[in-house]
Amino acid sequence: MAVMEATLPRRLITTPVAGPLVALLLACVFFGLRTDQFLTGPNFSLIIQQVMVVGTLAIGQTLIILTAGIDLSNGAIMAFGGIVMTKLAVDSGLPPVLALVAGLAICSLFGLVNGLLVTRISLPPFIVTLGMLNVVFALTHIYSNEQTVTDLPPLLTFLGQTFQVGQTNVTYGSLLTILLFLLFAYLLGSTAWGKHVYALGNSPEVARLTGIRTARLTVGVYTLAGFVYGIAALLLVSRTGVGDPQAGQTDNLDSITAVVLGGTSLFGGRGLVIGTLVGALIVGVFRNGLQLMGVPSIYQTLITGVLVILAVAVDQLSRRRNR
Amino acid sequence: MNAKLSAGLLVAALLVTGCGGGNGGSGQNSSSSTPKVGLITKTETNPFFVKMKEGAQKSAQANGLELMSAAGKFDGDNASQITAIENMVAAGVKGILITPSDTKAIVPAIKKARDAGVLVIALDTPTDPQDATDALFATDNLKAGELIGQYAKAAMAGKPAKIATLDLAPGVTVGQLRHDGFLKGYGIQEGDPSVVCSQDTRGDQAKGQTAMENCLQKAPDINVVYTINEPAALGAYTALKAKGREKDVLIVSVDGGCTGTKAVKSGEIAATSQQYPLKMAEDGVKAVADFAKSGKKVSGYTDTGVTLITDKPASGVEAKDTTFGLANCWG
């Protein structure tokens, strides 16, 4: 008994997800009390649909932030991937499967280039991905000729279709998003690769000395993140039903917000991908709940900003206590 | 400790939220019985949409509706508009008034809302296709362009024109219609040699200035400037002034914002076609109120009017002066 009492608070400190999870639950209780429509199955399904794109981007962002990097180009890469998939399938008449594969490949390729620039030329990730943001943004607008692509084949919109759970319609995309989070939680938590990623983020020098091939690992992380952005592109396309060159313009920052709200340290080596899911849900719950209450969207922006600062403050304070 | 601390901080944040909600929505208790109407604009900050929201608020109060509002983070932010539609449908709105950021990409989300029995009216900008919404309340943008085209033609009085067009952005219907209208009003075709420079400005003053500077590099003898809106026009004016050309170049524009109308009064802009966002929103909310009461849906296109504003009228082109313009301007 005494042992359990000692370990529970300890676990709360060492598990960076506990704080965000409590925050998410409190927010749900709050909105549940304030509006009738909030605590319903269809509404929760809606919130998951609304956060799945940024949430998936944030999986890639989490990987990169765990290595003490950052990715400002993910929303732009996703938008380009979405345009490639839809344009190839609709305008170029390629079989939808090939168009989809091409989109995933192009996103992975941009991730690979980011990783190579970070490792081979030792450029700071912030600079590499800032440059890449502009390059990919421009490519998207050039390639799409600023035109939205419509009339998509069923393969590209499949993830936006729904199946029934009780009274609630759930999209296949929501399911895929949750499976992705579980997959990456497993990869980071229970494989040697995951441990290497944490080690790299904690101290690249120590990681190198223990025999981890850090450059290769880093390139792998950026490439994998790019691939995940490709999946986000498919989710986006299936959610909106169109290929949209304007998409994702603030999603880079929104994905960082989800990571930070989820308790992952921006300095690398500390955090959990499940926390990122919780972080993305916090943003979605606030946006949905405040809208249901009739609060204008500018307040949603205000509150998200306050929450981000609070989350980092909590991270810093708990580190100080741990010392 | 971590959890307790963040929980405490979150409660503080929620209190802040609670205050925001209290200020924003009057009559919280009656909210379940009062029919709701949603307004979704392109952005929160553009004065045009601020005025639109003001009109919607006024009309909602007068018609016994509760107004919910939302906006994208930037012009072109389709995802936020989709999210807003979904949340408003979940909140049980009777009708949604929307200024679509992406006229094509928003269509599937609108269809879902209409399938759920919600009346959807486009304000200011038509969707593509236009019948994706129940109705459209908007300025006739082609006519707005035509008016300033006719004015410019008359004001030039037969002098050979070297025209610069400072446009919006490729693929945006509003910009295309105004541009086409201007050419039609001036009596020329797309590709006419008198149009010596065309640049996109996204309706932004700084980009308008840059565009005009570049146009003057390309063709220093430009004497007519068509602009998509008055911020672009004022940017062009700044560029012309730097070259000492502000007196002998005719700038015409569309929008009729208060800043822009003042610029017409002071002579920086020769004429502008004024539109009426307040009226779009008022009429839209009224239509939703009627639908809530009687179940009757509006349909088709309602022209909310456009007026040429200038203090130097040209013969044969009907116009009102800036006194009228300032009394009816937005922003």
Side-chain angles (χ1 to χ4, degrees):
Chain A
M1 210 51 201
V3 175
M4 273 190 74
E5 270 166 14
T7 52
L8 188 64
R10 232 200 113 61
R11 285 203 60 175
L12 282 182
I13 292 168
T14 50
T15 306
V17 178
L21 203 56
V22 172
L24 177 63
L25 291 176
L26 278 178
C28 286
V29 169
F30 174 78
F31 289 118
L33 291 174
R34 292 298 292 257
T35 70
D36 302 336
Q37 304 99 341
F38 183 80
L39 286 178
T40 61
N43 195 50
F44 279 126
S45 172
L46 198 58
I47 292 171
I48 295 173
Q49 287 170 45
Q50 290 171 352
V51 303
M52 69 185 185
V53 173
V54 166
T56 302
L57 281 179
I59 292 176
Q61 187 73 265
T62 308
L63 293 178
I64 289 172
I65 287 178
L66 282 176
T67 70
I70 192 114
D71 192 349
L72 299 178
S73 62
N74 59 6
I77 291 177
M78 171 186 70
F80 191 51
I83 285 294
V84 167
M85 288 173 193
T86 52
K87 248 185 104 69
L88 287 180
V90 175
D91 294 351
S92 308
L94 217 64
V97 180
L98 290 184
L100 171 61
V101 171
L104 291 171
I106 204 105
C107 290
S108 310
L109 179 69
F110 280 114
L112 174 70
V113 173
N114 275 341
L116 289 174
L117 288 170
V118 167
T119 52
R120 295 288 162 85
I121 317 185
S122 302
L123 295 175
F126 187 94
I127 301 300
V128 168
T129 58
L130 179 64
M132 193 56 79
L133 161 67
N134 288 295
V135 169
V136 180
F137 177 84
L139 288 177
T140 306
H141 285 253
I142 294 165
Y143 179 57
S144 70
N145 205 15
E146 319 259 356
Q147 296 296 309
T148 303
V149 187
T150 52
D151 303 315
L152 306 185
L155 180 79
L156 293 183
T157 55
F158 169 74
L159 291 173
Q161 307 299 313
T162 56
F163 62 95
Q164 282 235 315
V165 178
Q167 299 294 313
T168 303
N169 289 318
V170 180
T171 64
Y172 292 104
S174 305
L175 197 64
L176 175 67
T177 306
I178 288 164
L179 287 176
L180 275 176
F181 270 102
L182 293 176
L183 172 69
F184 278 91
Y186 168 77
L187 287 176
L188 280 171
S190 309
T191 67
W193 175 80
K195 291 186 171 58
H196 290 176
V197 170
Y198 281 101
L200 176 64
N202 272 317
S203 169
E205 191 55 24
V206 172
R208 196 181 60 80
L209 291 173
T210 50
I212 298 170
R213 299 165 84 169
T214 52
R216 223 169 102 171
L217 182 64
T218 307
V219 173
V221 163
Y222 278 86
T223 311
L224 184 60
F227 180 76
V228 173
Y229 304 153
I231 299 175
L234 179 61
L235 287 166
L236 174 80
V237 164
S238 63
R239 170 163 161 72
T240 57
V242 294
D244 176 9
Q246 303 260 36
Q249 286 187 29
T250 59
D251 286 5
N252 51 357
L253 299 180
D254 292 347
S255 71
I256 296 170
T257 301
V259 174
V260 168
L261 283 181
T264 294
S265 168
L266 275 177
F267 310 105
R270 184 171 177 272
L272 293 172
V273 73
I274 293 297
T276 300
L277 176 60
V278 175
L281 285 172
I282 289 175
V283 176
V285 159
F286 267 86
R287 187 150 69 161
N288 172 273
L290 291 176
Q291 188 71 64
L292 291 180
M293 280 171 59
V295 179
S297 45
I298 196 78
Y299 286 95
Q300 301 163 21
T301 310
L302 176 78
I303 286 159
T304 310
V306 171
L307 286 176
V308 166
I309 295 171
L310 287 179
V312 179
V314 168
D315 182 43
Q316 285 296 332
L317 288 175
S318 70
R319 276 162 172 253
R320 208 173 297 163
R321 272 162 210 281
N322 279 343
R323 236 176 258 145
Chain B
M1 209 57 226
N2 186 351
K4 266 191 204 163
L5 194 58
S6 61
L9 289 171
L10 186 90
V11 170
L14 288 176
L15 287 175
V16 173
T17 320
C19 294
N23 291 339
S26 54
Q28 293 272 326
N29 299 333
S30 60
S31 65
S32 50
S33 56
T34 315
K36 296 189 185 98
V37 54
L39 173 72
I40 304 171
T41 50
K42 291 184 193 178
T43 63
E44 291 272 2
T45 46
N46 183 329
F48 186 85
F49 299 126
V50 172
K51 197 69 183 182
M52 195 177 256
K53 198 163 143 187
E54 204 180 296
Q57 192 71 57
K58 239 200 286 182
S59 184
Q61 254 159 28
N63 287 291
L65 298 180
E66 184 187 328
L67 179 75
M68 310 183 88
S69 67
K73 291 180 199 144
F74 55 91
D75 200 335
D77 182 4
N78 187 53
S80 287
Q81 289 201 326
I82 291 179
T83 302
I85 290 177
E86 290 170 347
N87 289 342
M88 284 176 179
V89 172
V93 291
K94 286 282 171 194
I96 293 174
L97 313 172
I98 182 166
T99 307
S101 257
D102 186 319
T103 55
K104 271 187 197 167
I106 197 70
V107 167
I110 289 177
K111 186 176 181 306
K112 272 192 212 158
R114 290 181 72 192
D115 288 347
V118 174
L119 175 72
V120 181
I121 300 172
L123 300 185
D124 174 60
T125 309
T127 49
D128 181 9
Q130 195 171 314
D131 64 5
T133 54
D134 288 284
L136 166 69
F137 290 16
T139 304
D140 182 342
N141 280 299
L142 188 76
K143 188 176 164 207
E146 257 183 277
L147 286 174
I148 52 170
Q150 286 165 0
Y151 175 86
K153 177 84 178 169
M156 287 302 282
K159 260 196 299 179
K162 296 274 186 184
I163 302 170
T165 67
L166 301 191
D167 297 309
L168 189 58
V172 185
T173 334
V174 176
Q176 198 60 49
L177 284 170
R178 289 180 189 175
H179 175 100
D180 294 349
F182 170 80
L183 296 182
K184 190 174 166 204
Y186 206 96
I188 51 180
Q189 303 277 327
E190 188 69 60
D192 190 278
S194 63
V195 178
V196 292
C197 186
S198 288
Q199 294 258 306
D200 289 330
T201 65
R202 300 209 163 252
D204 176 85
Q205 179 153 351
K207 292 195 181 79
Q209 183 178 340
T210 308
M212 192 69 227
E213 287 162 356
N214 292 339
C215 278
L216 285 171
Q217 286 298 328
K218 188 178 169 197
D221 53 348
I222 288 165
N223 54 12
V224 176
V225 181
Y226 153 85
T227 57
I228 179 69
N229 67 1
E230 290 126 10
L234 289 170
Y237 180 82
T238 309
L240 287 164
K241 200 173 172 195
K243 293 257 177 190
R245 298 282 320 279
E246 77 273 17
K247 293 273 185 285
D248 51 292
V249 177
L250 185 83
I251 305 177
V252 290
S253 186
V254 178
D255 245 6
C258 292
T259 310
T261 310
K262 276 181 205 140
V264 174
K265 191 180 166 82
S266 63
E268 290 158 288
I269 301 171
T272 193
S273 287
Q274 185 170 56
Q275 49 175 350
Y276 302 100
L278 193 85
K279 187 171 162 49
M280 293 173 199
E282 278 179 352
D283 292 359
V285 170
K286 176 85 178 48
V288 173
D290 291 346
F291 171 62
K293 272 182 214 124
S294 68
K296 248 177 70 183
K297 291 186 172 179
V298 283
S299 63
Y301 167 58
T302 305
D303 185 352
T304 49
V306 58
T307 313
L308 186 70
I309 304 291
T310 181
D311 284 338
K312 289 174 260 174
S315 62
V317 190
E318 201 179 310
K320 295 233 161 93
D321 65 10
T322 51
T323 313
F324 173 89
L326 286 171
N328 291 283
C329 67
W330 48 268

